[in-house]
Amino acid sequence: MRGPWIVGVLLAGLLLGACGDPSSGPGASPPSAPEVSTTTTHQRAPASSAPRAPAKAPRVLYLGDSLAMENQRVLGQELRRDLRATYTSAPYSGTTLCDYLEGTAERSLVPARDKAAALVRSLRPDFVVLQFWGNAWDFTWCMDKITYDGSRERYFERYEADARRLVEQIATAGGARRPRIVWVLQGPDPITPDRVRRVNGLYERLAAGSDGIVADAGRTVSPGSDRYTWTQHLPCTAYERAHPDYCTQPGRDRTALHRDDDYLHFCLAPTTSTPKPCPVRSPGILRIAREITKTIRQSVN
C-alpha cells in the first residue's frame, strides 16, 4: 500500500503535468488563458429535457485551477443550452485564489488582464463561478511558499485572507452591478481529506456572509453515504444509464470518475504538460458542470 507521502508525491507530479509546463518557474511567462469556443467537442452531453430557460439570460464568468481548466467547455455547453447564458471562462492550471488577486501579476500565473476584478469590470457578469481545489503545495509563487504540509494553520489563515480579499475586489469591481460569487465545493481528497473539509467550510462561510452561493459539485462525485470518502467509481445515475457513453461499466452499473493514475482530476484522458479542456466524455466533469448549472438556474429563476 502506498504511504501518504508517496501518494502525495505522485499526485504532485500529476498536478504539475496537468496544470502547466513543468519547466515553468518564477520569471517565466504565464500560460495564456484558453479562448472560449462555441464549437462542439467529444465531451458534449446529449440534449436533455432541461427546465425552461430563465427570462433573463445570465452572464457567467468561470475562474479556477486545473479542475476548471478541464471542465470549462462542458460547463459552457450546459449553461448555454439550459440558461442561454453568456459565458466566459479564464481558468489557469496550477493556480490558487491569490493568483486572481490584483496586485500579484509579477508573482502569479495569471496575467493582469485576467485578474478577477479586471474581468468583472470588462465583462459585467451576473455570476462569478470560482472553482479552486485549494493549492496545498508549493505550485504557485503568490502563496509565498506557505503550504499545507509546512504549517496547516498558517496555510488556512493565508487562504482565508486571500479569499476575503478576492471577494472584496470582485465586489468593488462590480460596483452597482455587483456579481454573485458561486463557490464550488470540492470533492473528496484522498491525500488530505480534512483539508478539503476546511476549505469547503470556508467557502460556505464566505457565501453566507457576502450574498454568495454554494454549488456542492463535490457531492455529485462522492459516495452518498459519506461526502468526504474518495472513490474512483460510483453507481451510474439515471442520466448516465440513459446515455451509455457516461456509464463506463454498464454491466456493473458503475461509472469511472478518475483514471487509475490520477487521483485528483476527473478527465479520463491522460494528463499532458499543456493545459487544455478535457477532450473526452468524462462522467465526473459532466456531474460537476450540471450541478453548477443547476445552482445558477435556481438563483436566476
Side-chain angles (χ1 to χ4, degrees):
M1 179 179 294
R2 293 186 176 94
W5 181 85
I6 295 175
V7 176
V9 171
L10 174 62
L11 186 52
L14 288 168
L15 276 166
L16 285 172
C19 298
D21 186 345
S23 65
S24 296
S29 298
S32 298
E35 295 182 1
V36 178
S37 172
T38 58
T39 59
T40 58
T41 70
H42 293 296
Q43 173 72 15
R44 186 168 188 173
S48 62
S49 54
R52 179 175 298 179
K56 180 181 181 297
R59 301 176 66 88
V60 180
L61 172 63
Y62 185 40
L63 308 177
D65 54 22
S66 61
L67 295 178
M69 173 67 74
E70 67 182 10
N71 294 347
Q72 60 181 315
R73 282 185 182 166
V74 179
L75 179 59
Q77 289 159 1
E78 293 293 309
L79 287 168
R80 292 187 186 103
R81 187 187 64 224
D82 288 3
L83 306 181
R84 296 183 291 108
T86 299
Y87 170 76
T88 303
S89 61
Y92 282 82
S93 294
T95 58
T96 195
L97 296 174
C98 61
D99 286 288
Y100 281 89
L101 288 170
E102 290 194 317
T104 63
E106 294 181 358
R107 299 175 53 254
S108 169
L109 295 171
V110 178
R113 68 177 184 275
D114 287 337
K115 299 298 187 183
L119 291 173
V120 168
R121 283 192 292 269
S122 63
L123 298 172
R124 296 298 178 186
D126 301 299
F127 297 92
V128 178
V129 181
L130 301 177
Q131 181 163 11
F132 290 90
W133 175 78
N135 193 322
W137 293 308
D138 188 17
F139 288 160
T140 182
W141 316 313
C142 65
M143 282 292 288
D144 298 320
K145 298 187 180 299
I146 298 173
T147 66
Y148 180 78
D149 289 338
S151 173
R152 296 186 180 183
E153 290 310 312
R154 189 180 179 204
Y155 163 81
F156 285 118
E157 289 173 1
R158 173 61 183 275
Y159 198 78
E160 179 169 356
D162 288 340
R164 293 188 181 280
R165 284 183 62 198
L166 190 59
V167 170
E168 293 173 0
Q169 288 190 2
I170 290 172
T172 300
R177 292 190 55 189
R178 174 179 178 177
R180 298 191 74 183
I181 296 176
V182 181
W183 294 97
V184 181
L185 302 190
Q186 298 307 294
D189 178 354
I191 312 302
T192 56
D194 291 336
R195 184 194 61 80
V196 169
R197 289 177 185 267
R198 290 188 62 173
V199 167
N200 283 349
L202 169 62
Y203 294 163
E204 291 175 314
R205 293 195 305 275
L206 288 170
S210 60
D211 193 34
I213 311 166
V214 167
D216 194 0
R219 176 186 55 81
T220 69
V221 291
S222 308
S225 58
D226 190 343
R227 169 66 175 77
Y228 286 99
T229 294
W230 183 91
T231 183
Q232 185 177 0
H233 300 87
L234 281 178
C236 297
T237 63
Y239 180 89
E240 288 161 355
R241 294 187 196 101
H243 302 88
D245 287 339
Y246 290 91
C247 192
T248 58
Q249 298 179 329
R252 303 176 64 186
D253 192 36
R254 298 201 313 167
T255 196
L257 302 178
H258 305 277
R259 289 173 52 85
D260 293 343
D261 58 354
D262 191 338
Y263 300 96
L264 174 64
H265 299 96
F266 294 93
C267 183
L268 298 184
T271 57
T272 69
S273 62
T274 303
K276 60 183 178 181
C278 184
V280 300
R281 289 188 177 93
S282 299
I285 289 178
L286 182 60
R287 290 182 181 210
I288 290 170
R290 289 168 70 88
E291 184 64 25
I292 295 171
T293 300
K294 183 182 79 172
T295 298
I296 294 176
R297 182 194 306 120
Q298 292 170 343
S299 300
V300 173
N301 289 333

